[in-house]
Amino acid sequence: MKSLILIPFLLVLSACSIPRVASVSEVDANSGVVRLTYGQAILQNAKTDDYLARSEANKACQQMGYATAFAYGQPITTCTTTSGAMCLNERITLQYQCRGIASVPPSAVYY
């Protein structure tokens, strides 16, 4: 009887979305690309807040002298831990392209 209750509980638990915060993992100033990553374990449906991820990418772009970041491409999923043929942990990479030139405040201009 207990196993009949446990099975639906595990199915519901496996469908839950887990919030993740993507952090900057790679910055390429020459091409203006910023990559953010977060981890996802087996049976998790990890989600990241697009607004927070874009603000992290904007900060990284602005530190390189660009104005803003635009998401491009699909998220890249890489298996980081395997057991036999099953993937236990995945790393999700989000890519952003930096565009525009950040304006320099007048106080930062040297004559």
Side-chain angles (χ1 to χ4, degrees):
M1 182 66 180
K2 288 183 180 181
S3 64
L4 291 176
I5 296 171
L6 184 62
I7 292 172
F9 176 74
L10 289 175
L11 287 175
V12 169
L13 184 62
S14 68
C16 293
S17 291
I18 308 293
R20 295 284 185 209
V21 177
S23 58
V24 177
S25 61
E26 185 180 344
V27 176
D28 186 358
N30 291 332
S31 62
V33 174
V34 174
R35 290 185 178 88
L36 306 175
T37 59
Y38 64 92
Q40 175 174 296
I42 189 170
L43 296 178
Q44 286 185 345
N45 186 18
K47 298 287 182 186
T48 185
D49 186 355
D50 293 332
Y51 179 78
L52 292 175
R54 185 167 177 192
S55 78
E56 284 294 315
N58 275 334
K59 281 190 247 179
C61 287
Q62 288 168 358
Q63 289 175 350
M64 292 187 294
Y66 292 96
T68 189
F70 291 93
Y72 77 94
Q74 295 296 318
I76 300 169
T77 304
T78 308
C79 187
T80 58
T81 307
T82 59
S83 177
M86 190 164 60
C87 183
L88 300 177
N89 266 338
E90 295 177 331
R91 180 178 57 224
I92 313 297
T93 304
L94 308 173
Q95 298 184 92
Y96 289 86
Q97 177 72 48
C98 300
R99 296 185 189 165
I101 299 171
S103 61
V104 178
S107 62
V109 177
Y110 300 104
Y111 295 98

